[in-house]
Amino acid sequence: MLYLHNSLTKKKEEFKPINPGKVGMYVCGPTVYDYVHLGNIRSYMTPDILRRYFEYQGYEVRLIKNITDVGHLTDDDIAQGDSGEDKIEKKAVQEKKTPAEIAKFYEDDFREVEKKMNILPAQYFPHATAHIPQMIRIIGTLIEKSYAYEKNGNVFFDVTKFPEYGKLSGNTLENLEVGARLEEHPDKRNPWDFALWLKAPKEHLLKWESPWSIGYPGWHIECSAMSTEYLGDTIDVHTGGEDNIFPHHEAEIAQTQCATGKKYVNYWIHTRHLKVDGVKMSKSKNNFYRLKDIEDKGYSPMALRLLLLSSLRQTQLNFTWKAMDQAKSNLQRINDFILNMEALSTSQDTESGFDIDSYQKRFEDAMDDDINTPLALSVFYELMTEANILLMKSSLKGQDAKKILAFWKRINSVFGLELHGQVEIPQEILDLVKKRENARKNKDFQTSDKLRDEIERLGYIIEDTKNNNFIIKPARDAKHNDAG
Ligand code: AMP
Ligand code: ZN
């Protein structure tokens, strides 16, 4: 049974889907005004692993990841996320491009990074700018129900009308203090109200007609509009980085629940920050590494994936190159091990004594415990150690290797590591190997030697092992020890 730590209740809760066999997931996606950095990647890895584990368990998952191409304002650290300039528009002015060009450029970067990281694509990537009518509709409902009010063309959500406000973040109205981090808007009834719609100044590029003014939406309303549009009023799982908890997700809960009258999200899953030198990695602080920086230094995206899998999303992670080195060598270890198993699995014996079931159980126990990927990985590392010891004693059989490979394939559907040089021996080669085996049985060594040469010419090597067994490897993986 899968248990997930829910940031709303602060407890581990058994996962129960709204519809049997199905899971709806909403992921707060990128604000496309700059390159995706490793912190963003960490926050997208969490829903990817969770989604893969749901699929491993047989669920049909619908995952929606939005593209924020309007509404995310620059003064992130100030209160309700409704102060400052539009991040994309600001970049567009700086670079003398249109906001759409900026958004497209950085969305392409995001898509490429996700692909390289082997993050499974969402079923749909809705854009905020394509959902303005849905946002206007929700804002209209909120005004009708008196949860929101309009003044001078601006519309705000009245936080005093929603008693549950602050439940997710702990920022209840009693706890909130009007301090330096709060920029008061003259049209707000109380300083903690947040913007649903803002009237656009004349020079503003991103603006739409609405019943209240020509303007643009607040940042939070877009996720309510897109999540309910594609997943319904109540959704199973909503994820984001920990900085999304307040004000973004707190606001999403308030406005969505007040509009629909229903519970918004059953499981809130947040990923703690990735830091550099103890400071949150972020675009606005310009202290970030991109995937490209990692690759330029000779690390593969899969080494980064392994690094991220090796830490708990529930704890902050400090990025270091030493940890990258460790991940790189662990990846190599897995890679070599799988290649050895591939090779061994071609041997023709039929017996097997390797107990895979206990490893599978421990893998699932680790994943069931709030997606503990470091523990799940350590189960596989243990398997490798046991198998390697048996291999050295020549007591690991072809059938064992086959079982191990099948197990790896299954758990790697969750880890999502693409290994280099993982090979399947082509049928043509396997047929030649069989012929050679028959020739050897008939003591026709001339034919068997000829077949071995033919196999080598096709790029594979046969290595004889103990007990009349042999394994087949691609030539590049074989150890050449002839003085030749
Ligand atoms: P943004 O593009 O800034 O809207 O961020 C996209 C996603 O990345 C959001 O879910 C953020 O919470 C998350 N995020 C941003 N910085 C970090 C970080 N340093 N560590 C983990 N997640 C982050
Ligand atoms: Zn969002």
Side-chain angles (χ1 to χ4, degrees), residues 32-33 69 86-106 205-206:
V32 280
Y33 74 105
D69 54 358
D86 186 283
K87 291 186 180 192
I88 290 159
E89 184 158 332
K90 184 177 173 191
K91 189 73 165 238
V93 172
Q94 274 169 3
E95 296 198 359
K96 299 195 171 50
K97 300 212 169 87
T98 64
E101 280 171 319
I102 294 292
K104 165 90 175 61
F105 180 83
Y106 291 109
L205 300 171
L206 289 162

Side-chain angles (χ1 to χ4, degrees), residues 26-29 66 68 219-220 222-223 238-239 244 248-249 252:
Y26 186 85
V27 180
C28 276
N66 77 289
T68 298
W219 171 33
H220 319 308
E222 65 177 61
C223 285
H238 193 316
T239 76
N244 282 161
H248 189 49
H249 290 162
E252 267 186 65

Side-chain angles (χ1 to χ4, degrees), residues 261-304:
K262 296 178 201 151
K263 186 179 179 189
Y264 177 38
V265 171
N266 283 343
Y267 302 88
W268 282 99
I269 307 292
H270 289 99
T271 306
R272 304 290 311 272
H273 281 148
L274 183 69
K275 297 189 156 189
V276 207
D277 301 327
V279 181
K280 176 196 166 195
M281 189 180 283
S282 73
K283 300 176 207 176
S284 52
K285 291 196 185 77
N286 209 18
N287 64 343
F288 64 86
Y289 293 115
R290 295 168 54 193
L291 183 58
K292 188 177 176 305
D293 301 320
I294 300 283
E295 290 178 297
D296 287 351
K297 283 192 182 253
Y299 301 96
S300 69
M302 287 304 108
L304 176 65

Side-chain angles (χ1 to χ4, degrees), residues 202-257:
K202 259 210 179 65
E203 66 285 2
H204 211 266
L205 300 171
L206 289 162
K207 54 190 169 192
W208 292 264
E209 282 198 23
S210 79
W212 316 289
S213 62
I214 294 180
Y216 57 96
W219 171 33
H220 319 308
I221 193 70
E222 65 177 61
C223 285
S224 297
M226 290 184 273
S227 62
T228 52
E229 174 86 2
Y230 298 102
L231 296 167
D233 291 346
T234 306
I235 59 185
D236 290 300
V237 176
H238 193 316
T239 76
E242 64 176 308
D243 57 334
N244 282 161
I245 293 175
F246 188 85
H248 189 49
H249 290 162
E250 194 71 69
E252 267 186 65
I253 295 175
Q255 68 206 3
T256 318
Q257 295 197 176

Side-chain angles (χ1 to χ4, degrees), residues 112-131:
E112 192 191 318
V113 165
E114 282 217 323
K115 196 161 171 219
K116 281 189 172 173
M117 288 299 298
N118 206 19
I119 291 175
L120 296 175
Q123 268 78 9
Y124 192 50
F125 293 93
H127 292 73
T129 49
H131 295 79

Side-chain angles (χ1 to χ4, degrees), residues 217-472:
W219 171 33
H220 319 308
I221 193 70
E222 65 177 61
C223 285
S224 297
M226 290 184 273
S227 62
T228 52
E229 174 86 2
Y230 298 102
L231 296 167
D233 291 346
T234 306
I235 59 185
D236 290 300
V237 176
H238 193 316
T239 76
E242 64 176 308
D243 57 334
N244 282 161
I245 293 175
F246 188 85
H248 189 49
H249 290 162
E250 194 71 69
E252 267 186 65
I253 295 175
Q255 68 206 3
T256 318
Q257 295 197 176
C258 290
T260 65
K262 296 178 201 151
K263 186 179 179 189
Y264 177 38
V265 171
N266 283 343
Y267 302 88
W268 282 99
I269 307 292
H270 289 99
T271 306
R272 304 290 311 272
H273 281 148
L274 183 69
K275 297 189 156 189
V276 207
D277 301 327
V279 181
K280 176 196 166 195
M281 189 180 283
S282 73
K283 300 176 207 176
S284 52
K285 291 196 185 77
N286 209 18
N287 64 343
F288 64 86
Y289 293 115
R290 295 168 54 193
L291 183 58
K292 188 177 176 305
D293 301 320
I294 300 283
E295 290 178 297
D296 287 351
K297 283 192 182 253
Y299 301 96
S300 69
M302 287 304 108
L304 176 65
R305 193 171 168 103
L306 186 58
L307 170 80
L308 295 172
L309 284 167
S310 308
S311 73
L312 282 174
R313 71 151 204 288
Q314 299 89 330
T315 53
Q316 293 189 333
L317 175 65
N318 203 36
F319 177 80
T320 63
W321 294 107
K322 205 171 146 210
M324 272 309 304
D325 284 335
Q326 183 63 51
K328 184 177 176 175
S329 85
N330 284 343
L331 186 67
Q332 190 60 48
R333 216 179 121 211
I334 297 176
N335 206 69
D336 292 348
F337 176 75
I338 296 299
L339 270 179
N340 278 336
M341 291 303 110
E342 296 265 5
L344 181 62
S345 71
T346 58
S347 116
Q348 308 291 315
D349 65 73
T350 50
E351 46 178 317
S352 162
F354 198 85
D355 174 21
I356 216 87
D357 293 348
S358 65
Y359 286 107
Q360 173 155 342
K361 173 157 190 331
R362 285 169 57 210
F363 166 80
E364 289 173 6
D365 285 348
M367 293 302 290
D368 282 345
D369 185 10
D370 200 20
I371 310 296
N372 191 332
T373 48
L375 190 59
L377 272 173
S378 75
V379 171
F380 191 70
Y381 290 147
E382 263 185 57
L383 180 153
M384 288 201 295
T385 306
E386 187 193 340
N388 280 331
I389 291 171
L390 292 172
L391 199 60
M392 276 192 299
K393 294 195 219 151
S394 291
S395 39
L396 198 74
K397 305 291 176 203
Q399 282 305 319
D400 296 322
K402 278 196 187 115
K403 263 207 243 172
I404 289 171
L405 285 173
F407 175 61
W408 167 252
K409 200 168 165 196
R410 186 143 160 72
I411 63 173
N412 195 37
S413 71
V414 180
F415 294 142
L417 293 166
E418 277 167 351
L419 298 184
H420 286 296
Q422 194 173 339
V423 280
E424 296 215 353
I425 311 290
Q427 192 56 43
E428 179 193 7
I429 303 293
L430 292 176
D431 291 346
L432 289 172
V433 168
K434 204 153 215 139
K435 275 191 197 159
R436 173 182 172 262
E437 211 187 342
N438 287 336
R440 267 165 45 115
K441 266 191 202 141
N442 298 332
K443 307 219 180 314
D444 177 0
F445 295 113
Q446 208 181 351
T447 308
S448 98
D449 284 352
K450 254 170 68 185
L451 285 162
R452 176 192 280 260
D453 290 347
E454 171 74 359
I455 290 164
E456 283 202 17
R457 199 181 54 75
L458 292 169
Y460 291 82
I461 282 184
I462 298 183
E463 280 180 9
D464 292 309
T465 60
K466 285 186 188 165
N467 311 329
N468 264 343
N469 263 326
F470 57 86
I471 57 181
I472 316 159

